Structures are given as C-alpha cells and as structure tokens.
Amino acid sequence: MRSGLLSLIPAIALVGAASAEEPITFTSQEGASVDAFQGAFTVPEDRSNPDSRMIEIGYVRFPALDGADGAPIVYLAGGPGGSGTGTARAQRFELFMQMRQHGDVIAFDQRGTGLSSNDLPSCVSHVAVPETEPTTDAEFADAYRQAALECRVFWHEQGVEIDGYTTAQSVEDISDLRAHLGAEQVTLWGISYGTHLAMAALKTIPDEIDRAILASAEGLDQTVKLPSQTEAYIERLQAAVNTQPAAAATYPDIAGLMARVHAKLEAEPMMIQVQTREGVHPFLLQRRDLQQMASGLISDPGFAAIVLAMYAEIDQADSAFIASGIVGRFYELGQPIILRPMSTAMDLASGISEARLTRVEHEARTSLLGAYLNFPMPQLNGVWSGFGLDDDFRAAPVGDTPILLLSGTLDGRTYPDSQREALSGMANVDWVIVENAGHNLFMTTPEVHAVMHRFMAGETVDGERIIAPLPDLTDLPF
C-alpha cells in the first residue's frame, strides 16, 4: 500500500482522470500484455485563436506498482513526430514497465501524433525533385520551400490550424495533462526532440515539473546542429573504429574516405537502380543524397557501420548496392514532395537564431555533411511568413529542477558537449556519459536503467560513466 503525503498524488490522478479513461489491455510488439488505462482530454488546436477548433490529446497510463509514491512520469517522444504510445509498444516497453516502480507512467502522444493525430492529413505537394537529372543544393532547397508554402495553404484549406503546432503550445498541453490527471507536478522523461519540449516546459511551467530525465538532449536553439560538432563526432567515430583491428584496417581515415566519395559524386553522379514495392526506379545518386542519408544513419554506431560500408563501396568498387538499398528509405520515389504537418510545423516554429544560422552556414561550406544533418532545416527557415517562435523561446532554461542528462559518446545526431551547454542554466543537473552509446541509448545496457532508477530515488549520480558494448563496426545488419 502507498503511504505518506506523496501517495495522495497518484490517488488524485486516478480520481481526476477516471471520467476520461477506459481500461485497456496494452500489448507490446513482442506480444507482452499489461493492464493499462487509455485517456484523452481536449485543447484548442491554436491557443492564440479564441475561435479555434478543439482537438483531442490522448495517452495511455500504466498504473504505478504498489509502494510507488512519485509524481506521474510523462514520456515525451522524439522526432518531432514520434508517438509515446508507439514507443511504449516497441523496444522500450520493458523500461516503461520498470519505471512504474516510481509512479504512474504516461505514454503521452503529443499533438499531431498517435492517439492525438486527429486525422491530420499529410500534404502531397505538386512539387517534384528530378530523380534522374542533377540538381543543385539551391534547387533542392527551393523545391522544398515551394512545397512548404503549398502545404501551409493545403492544411488551412483542410481546416487544420497548422499555426498551433508549436513546441510552446505543446507545453500548454503538458500543463493540461497534469491538471487532467489531478497531479500537482509531473516528472518529464524524454529523448531527442522530447527533451526540446521538456526544456521549454522547464522554462514555462517550472513549478509543475518535479524532475526530468533527458537523453540525447536537443536545446531550444539546437533544432539545427552545428556542422563543427558533427566533424568532432566523426573524430570520435574514428577513435572507436581504431579500437577494433578489422575496422581500423578497413576504415583508416573516415574523413578522407567521405571527402573522396563526395568529390567523386560531385564530379560524376552515379545512376543506380532502386528496388521499391512498385518496381525498379532509376535514380541519380548525387553527393547531396549521400550527405543526407549519412546524416540520418549516424544516429547510432550500428547504423554508422552501414554508412562506412556505403562510402567504402563507392570509393573502392565503384558500385552503390548499399546506397541503392537505402535510398528508398529516405525518398518516396516516383512521388512529389510529401510533408507531414506536425513535424514540419514544429521544426519551422522552433527555428534558429540569426547568430546560430550565420555560424551554421559558415561551417557547412567546408564540413563533410554540409547543411543536411537536420534537413529540411535550416533550408526552410522562415518560409512561412508570420509563423514561428522567437529568440526568447530559444533562450536556454534557467532553474534548479533536478535533471538527469544521459549522453552517448557516439551519438551522431545530438552531441555531448552541446547537450550539456543546452542545460547550462540549470543548477541541479546530474550528467552521465554512456561510452559507445548512440542517440537511442536507453536500451544499450541495463546500467542505464539502474542509473535512472537511482536518480528517481533521489541519489546523486553526477559524473558517473557507463560503458555500453561497442558493436562490430564491420558487421552489417543485412
């Protein structure tokens, strides 16, 4: 049985949410089932419009285990565009179940995702990028800007108040969720973009946040990452490669390899054949395509191994079988540009400060991956007139809320130093480095779970280092 003053919080949550919740059996992708509750509440789609239509925000609540007396733990998925309920069904199901020892766990679907999608339509634009003809970086960016302009009109015509899909309005949804649950405070648990949302909440509603666990953090002015930080990541990847004799012999100079292949494709793009469900599509592989695919794949070391093999094949064999197998995962071949409402609007709204944009553009001229790590940002920056958040939003949070920051040394999407910088104004941060871990670090080793539980129990874990297993960087998952 729960006891003490804090035990009232989960009890109140049950009363406050009961009228809008229904019992369900929640089943993971692996077939494990658990009793849970599915709930929802309504909010204005655009809080700045007094006549806004109302939309539904949904979640799944996993009740706390006996003896747990902490605030409800709200999971904030990454993306933007990830689903909390979808994450709970997948590989992290076990960790969601473990976290119930501290309080109710809420798999929260942010506006525009999962149970909160409200049937938002994707936009199939009339703008197509040629697939068999060379295009410049400027032409590629301009095509996406044209598509974004068209899609904003499309969403308005569909009755979607797209201007309401900002991180600032999602913070208000978190506050409404807390009130809906009947809780005085909530704990935030997020990864990647979910930490961006959590930091905005720490600024806007600090008294409603008990504590936070943030992994692979993205600061409020870090929607677009610095190319120089990506270069430093490639150096760390090389150091990891050098610890494995076979990998070191195969990839003695990653930066040189990438530069050679980029120059090769810049001089002469390769026509490849891409197999899709609809058939075989010819595709002209350009330097930009490789930069964009590599940017997506370097999130975790296992995927980075694919990047290394892809570059080596083009460099040494003058073929691109690996690249041809990946292109279809990044582009919807045979289709015009398709944009999804939530992810497009959220990134456009968070934007980038002028000072950071200037630095990104300067660094991108000579960096290996150019300006493609966060495409279509910054290419779409400012494309929607009158839309977006300002530099006050992008200023780092300040406060003393207890925070556990988990950073992987081989995270190719967000970088340890920039993660800590994003929280430099927070006075009570426990920073734990996970050696060899990438962006998706929660399930790399049980030691990550252990340090999370100790933090939730009130222990200090600042400065600890966890060593996760490093995958064989010559081994491909196919």
Side-chain angles (χ1 to χ4, degrees):
M1 297 293 292
R2 301 179 184 134
S3 61
L5 181 62
L6 287 176
S7 68
L8 293 177
I9 295 175
I12 292 172
L14 287 171
V15 173
S19 62
E21 288 186 346
E22 60 177 341
I24 63 169
T25 299
F26 187 91
T27 304
S28 75
Q29 291 177 357
E30 297 297 321
S33 294
V34 64
D35 291 336
F37 294 88
Q38 183 170 314
F41 55 98
T42 58
V43 301
E45 187 168 36
D46 183 358
R47 294 171 184 271
S48 67
N49 176 8
D51 299 318
S52 173
R53 72 170 183 168
M54 303 298 287
I55 59 172
E56 190 169 271
I57 304 296
Y59 64 90
V60 168
R61 178 171 64 85
F62 302 105
L65 301 177
D66 287 344
D69 58 6
I73 302 162
V74 179
Y75 182 83
L76 303 176
S83 158
T85 56
T87 302
R89 282 193 177 87
Q91 188 183 21
R92 294 174 197 156
F93 174 80
E94 173 194 344
L95 186 52
F96 274 77
M97 296 301 98
Q98 289 182 31
M99 292 296 284
R100 295 176 301 165
Q101 67 185 271
H102 307 291
D104 286 358
V105 177
I106 313 297
F108 181 57
D109 281 342
Q110 300 159 37
R111 54 173 52 210
T113 73
L115 298 174
S116 308
S117 65
N118 294 281
D119 297 320
L120 289 186
S122 293
C123 170
V124 182
S125 75
H126 292 87
V127 183
V129 176
E131 295 175 357
T132 58
E133 300 174 11
T135 54
T136 66
D137 290 339
E139 290 169 339
F140 189 66
D142 185 61
Y144 271 82
R145 291 180 71 86
Q146 291 180 45
L149 290 169
E150 178 186 334
C151 288
R152 190 186 194 190
V153 173
F154 165 79
W155 285 315
H156 283 156
E157 290 175 344
Q158 295 296 309
V160 176
E161 296 186 72
I162 194 66
D163 291 11
Y165 290 83
T166 72
T167 299
Q169 297 217 25
S170 284
V171 169
E172 298 302 320
D173 295 343
I174 293 173
S175 182
D176 286 349
L177 170 67
R178 178 202 56 76
H180 166 79
L181 294 173
E184 293 181 6
Q185 293 184 312
V186 293
T187 290
L188 299 181
W189 168 29
I191 189 168
S192 194
Y193 168 77
T195 70
H196 184 89
L197 174 54
M199 287 185 219
L202 287 165
K203 283 180 60 175
T204 308
I205 53 171
D207 293 342
E208 299 180 28
I209 311 302
D210 174 62
R211 58 184 51 235
I213 296 177
L214 308 180
S216 309
E218 178 185 281
L220 294 176
D221 195 17
Q222 294 178 354
T223 296
V224 181
K225 313 307 182 289
L226 295 176
S228 57
Q229 292 278 6
T230 309
E231 302 285 288
Y233 154 78
I234 292 172
E235 292 179 2
R236 290 193 296 276
L237 179 61
Q238 182 70 69
V241 162
N242 291 346
T243 66
Q244 299 179 345
T250 306
Y251 310 117
D253 180 10
I254 297 172
L257 168 65
M258 296 176 73
R260 284 196 308 276
V261 172
H262 291 164
K264 183 176 186 176
L265 291 178
E266 187 72 12
E268 187 176 356
M270 296 177 66
M271 187 66 72
I272 62 176
Q273 303 298 316
V274 179
Q275 181 68 53
T276 70
R277 285 176 293 183
E278 290 74 31
V280 176
H281 285 262
F283 183 84
L284 188 67
L285 185 69
Q286 300 182 72
R287 177 263 308 153
R288 177 196 66 243
D289 302 309
L290 219 59
Q291 289 176 312
Q292 194 171 349
M293 292 190 295
S295 294
L297 287 168
I298 59 174
S299 58
D300 296 293
F303 294 133
I306 300 174
V307 173
L308 298 177
M310 177 173 65
Y311 275 86
E313 181 192 12
I314 296 173
D315 182 51
Q316 299 167 15
D318 203 28
S319 62
F321 292 110
I322 296 174
S324 66
I326 296 172
V327 164
R329 298 176 182 270
F330 282 83
Y331 301 130
E332 299 185 64
L333 298 183
Q335 298 290 324
I337 295 172
I338 300 173
L339 297 179
R340 289 160 181 80
M342 187 272 194
S343 56
T344 300
M346 289 289 177
D347 275 349
L348 277 176
S350 290
I352 182 172
S353 65
E354 285 298 323
R356 188 175 181 90
L357 178 60
T358 298
R359 182 175 176 184
V360 166
E361 290 176 338
H362 174 73
E363 292 181 359
R365 296 189 191 110
T366 56
S367 66
L368 287 168
L369 296 183
Y372 285 101
L373 192 79
N374 302 109
F375 186 84
M377 287 291 288
Q379 289 83 352
L380 294 187
N381 187 54
V383 70
W384 288 355
S385 177
F387 177 76
L389 302 167
D390 58 18
D391 283 350
D392 286 341
F393 166 83
R394 287 184 282 271
V398 175
D400 59 3
T401 304
I403 295 171
L404 171 60
L405 174 61
L406 295 162
S407 304
T409 59
L410 294 181
D411 181 347
R413 299 292 299 172
T414 54
Y415 310 113
D417 289 345
S418 61
Q419 292 179 43
R420 188 62 186 89
E421 180 185 1
L423 291 167
S424 59
M426 300 301 295
N428 195 4
V429 177
D430 282 11
W431 189 21
V432 174
I433 297 292
V434 187
E435 298 278 356
N436 302 324
H439 195 64
N440 298 288
L441 57 75
F442 282 131
M443 307 306 291
T444 54
T445 169
E447 292 180 61
V448 171
H449 306 170
V451 82
M452 292 170 62
H453 296 317
R454 289 168 53 208
F455 170 78
M456 290 296 294
E459 293 185 33
T460 297
V461 295
D462 186 39
E464 295 190 15
R465 297 182 82 88
I466 296 170
I467 300 178
L470 179 66
D472 182 349
L473 294 171
T474 64
D475 186 29
L476 301 182
F478 48 77

